Structure formats: C-alpha cells, structure tokens
Amino acid sequence: LDDYAFLAQGALDLSRALEDSSELGALAAQARAWVDVARERFAEKNAGFCFTSDDHEKLLHRPRTQFDQAIPSGNSVMAGLLVALGELFPDAPYAAEADDLMSRMFPLVERAPQGMGELACVSLMALAGPVTVSGGGAARVCAHPHVFQKPPSGDQGHELVVCHRRACDLPYTDALDATGATNQSRTA
C-alpha cells in the first residue's frame, strides 16, 4: 500500500511545481491510476486499506497501518489522496471514499493524536477543502500542500482560475492575486 500511496502523492507533489502544463494531465492521471490500484487491491470492506494486496501470499492477518511511524501511515496518505483527487476529479467517488475512510479512522486521532499527525493534517484539508489552480503560471501559486494544480481548459489561455470546493472565482491575470485568493480559500 505504502508504495502506491507515496508514488501517487509524489506525482501530485511534482505536478504542483510544473511550469509547463503539458505533463500535468499525465501526472494527475498517473496519480489517479496508482490510487485506483490501491483502492482495488488493498481495500478491505468497511476497514480501510491493508498493508498487503489481496493477491499477496496468504497471511493469518492482513495488517493495516493506521498509525504514523518514521513515515506517515499508508491509510493517512490514501485519505489525503482521496480528498485531493475528489477535488481534481469530481465525477469519481474519491471524495465520498475519503469521508468514509476518515470517519472510520478519526476516533483513533481523538484517542492517540500523537500517532496520527498525517491524518490530522488530512482532516484539516478535508474540512477546509482543497484548492485547485489552473492556467498559465499556476505552479507559482501552488506552494501550499493543500493547493493542487489542475490542467487548464482549452479556452483558458494565460488566465489563472482558483477553485475551492468545486466553485471557481473569476479568472486572475496576476499570480500574486491568485495566491491571495488561495490563501483566502484555505482560511474560509
């Protein structure tokens, strides 16, 4: 699970820094593909994600990593990916799956917050709602971990469009103005 989750997170993180939007769609599609594999092969009904896939050798118990160790838990990273992909691909069931996963895991955060820092951060992102930015120069606006770059639409040109919870502002022509809009969206 961790391999798929961290590769998908890496693809989304890399997409934030791209100045050239031609590879943006490919990175988002690759992140989505890795998450879809994890959803298909590592999910356990009503229990989150297991550390091993369903075609792994038979074990007495398929462990689930819920607490962060030296690295964040695979379940927490998957929750963050589902929240982000729910915003980037609103027609897919990612947002609902993120809500379900976090509602199952959040009681652990209340009991042992020191072991679930990543899930607490993901919960903040889910509560505030991720922000997406598309258009020319969007990479200069996507410095915050809750701000994701989205491929621009065909007729957008060099304007920057900031969206929060799938509602978009009027286009911006200046990256500084768009950065201010992302800050307001995250704190709203």
Side-chain angles (χ1 to χ4, degrees), residues 6-162:
F6 284 105
L7 282 169
Q9 185 64 55
L12 285 183
D13 287 346
L14 181 59
S15 73
R16 283 191 189 104
L18 287 178
E19 290 288 338
D20 179 12
S21 64
S22 64
E23 294 180 41
L24 189 56
L27 282 170
Q30 184 61 66
R32 185 178 187 175
W34 282 322
V35 167
D36 288 344
V37 168
R39 289 171 56 227
E40 184 179 306
R41 307 226 359 251
F42 293 84
E44 189 167 289
K45 188 174 182 169
N46 300 324
F49 294 92
C50 295
F51 184 70
T52 58
S53 65
D54 57 2
D55 65 346
H56 190 272
E57 67 181 275
K58 293 296 178 194
L59 302 173
L60 292 174
H61 170 70
R62 284 179 68 201
R64 289 188 309 269
T65 56
Q66 296 178 327
F67 291 97
D68 298 342
Q69 302 293 320
I71 60 174
S73 78
N75 273 285
S76 297
V77 174
M78 282 298 295
L81 288 164
L82 291 170
V83 169
L85 291 176
E87 185 73 19
L88 291 170
F89 302 102
D91 295 334
Y94 299 122
E97 290 178 20
D99 290 344
D100 181 60
L101 179 59
M102 287 189 298
S103 70
R104 294 182 189 290
M105 293 181 67
F106 203 79
L108 291 173
V109 175
E110 293 175 323
R111 286 185 284 173
Q114 69 278 9
M116 302 192 83
E118 182 70 15
L119 188 64
C121 291
V122 168
S123 298
L124 284 173
M125 178 174 63
L127 183 65
V131 176
T132 60
V133 179
S134 62
R140 293 188 303 267
V141 181
C142 295
H144 192 277
H146 296 178
V147 179
F148 300 92
Q149 192 174 170
K150 192 173 188 176
S153 62
D155 59 345
Q156 190 172 329
H158 292 289
E159 297 176 326
L160 290 160
V161 177
V162 177

